[in-house]
Each structure stands twice: as C-alpha cells, then as structure tokens.
Amino acid sequence: TDIGAQKDRVVTEEEWLQKWEMGNIGFHKEQGHPLLQKYLDVLLNGRSGLRIFFPLCGKAVEMKWLADMGHSVVGVEVSERALKEFFAEHSLPYCEEPVPGISGAKKFQSTSGNISLYCCSIYDLSSSVVGKFDGVWDRGALVAVNPCDRQRYVSLMITLMEKNSSYLLVTVSYDPNKHKGPPFYVPESEIKSLFG
Ligand code: SAH
C-alpha cells in the first residue's frame, strides 16, 4: 500500500472545531472503547492511583471510567465545546481557569479534582505544565494528528512519560488510497520507527 497517499493531508484546528459545532463526531464512542477494557491490566500493570494522559481527548467516556477507578486523568483538546459536553454528560461539576504560561489556554477541572482537561493544542503542552504520566490512552490521537506532525507529536508524548509508564495505542488498518482520513493509516513499521 502507498502510505504516501495521505502524507500531505492537513486537517486544521478550525476544521476540528467545526466538526464539533456541527455534531459531526462519528469518532465518539458513547459506550467507551472495548479495547481499553480488554487491555486495562496492561495499562495499569497492578498499580493504583496512576496519572493517565488522554491526548486529543474529545469527550471520551473512558476518562470517567479511569477517574472512577481512582486514577487521576489529564486530557487535552482544542474544542471547548467537547470538554463542556464531557462534564455535562457525566453531570460533573467543574471549574475553569487560565493556564499560566499558555496564552489563550483554559483548564477545566472537575470539582472533585481528579479530572483536568486542557483546552489548547497539544503542541502547547510540556511536562512543566502537565507533569509526567504513568499511562497513556491514545485512541483517535496519533491517527488524528496530521501526518506531517507525527514525529513532533510522538517526541512530545515521550517527554510526557514516566520511566515505567505504559502506552496503549489504537490504530486502524485500511487502504490509504481509498479513504483520505482522519483517522489516518499509520502502519506498524512507522509506529516502530516513531517510538523507537
Ligand atoms: N480521542 C477522542 C477524540 C478523537 S478525534 C476519542 O477517542 O473519542 C480527535 C480529537 O482531537 C478531536 O476532538 C479534535 O478536536 C482534537 N484535536 C485535533 N487536533 C488537536 C490538537 N492539535 N490538540 C488538541 N486536540 C486536537
């Protein structure tokens, strides 16, 4: 297959915001992702009270699952609407504050304190703002990143991981000549070279 077919494709932040405004969010899974349930033990590895990161989080219900299990969840998402829908749909009270050091960014934090969602681009984050994580749930994230930004995304993710962290990655396999994406096709060979 020719992965070059998608190499120059760009989806802008504006286009993502528009998808949320139009309710054009076929990627959202109301029931959560079965692969997280299946591989939860791999993510947790017997540990409790972890810090789990959700890159490009949307309003993923898995954030609620993990918070309910006693973990602390951090997400990042450009769409404020997505984050507000998340809190509303789970009836979670939250507060909103600016993020020192990232102009225009907002942090939405559940009143209980265990869910913090940053409204900004992931490329604005660094470990000095969000710290490091014991686990990552990457679903609809690497595959949603523009192909030209993959290396930058992965390099950033690596800087956000603790030494013994686990990273669950969901990808999709299809013929990239037949669909333009997102989700983009990221072959396993590329995942290996990106993460090293
Ligand atoms: N992970 C979620 C959402 C997947 S869709 C899920 O599983 O349902 C990809 C999401 O990334 C969209 O909600 C989009 O608004 C957001 N997004 C796109 N580019 C982004 C960026 N640079 N920084 C943060 N969020 C981004």
Side-chain angles (χ1 to χ4, degrees), residues 16 20 27-28 56-58 76-78 120-123 139-140 144:
W16 282 110
W20 279 100
F27 50 80
H28 177 68
L56 283 66
C57 61
V76 61
E77 165 60 52
V78 285
C120 61
S121 170
I122 187 166
Y123 306 113
R139 184 269 169 177

Side-chain angles (χ1 to χ4, degrees), residues 180-193:
K180 60 184 171 123
F184 298 113
Y185 172 57
V186 189
E188 195 168 349
S189 57
E190 188 173 344
I191 292 167
K192 287 192 171 136
S193 67

Side-chain angles (χ1 to χ4, degrees), residues 1 3 6 35 143 170-179 183-189 191:
T1 47
I3 56 164
Q6 295 181 335
L35 286 172
V143 297
V170 183
T171 60
V172 285
S173 188
Y174 65 88
D175 180 349
N177 295 296
K178 297 207 170 121
H179 306 275
F184 298 113
Y185 172 57
V186 189
E188 195 168 349
S189 57
I191 292 167

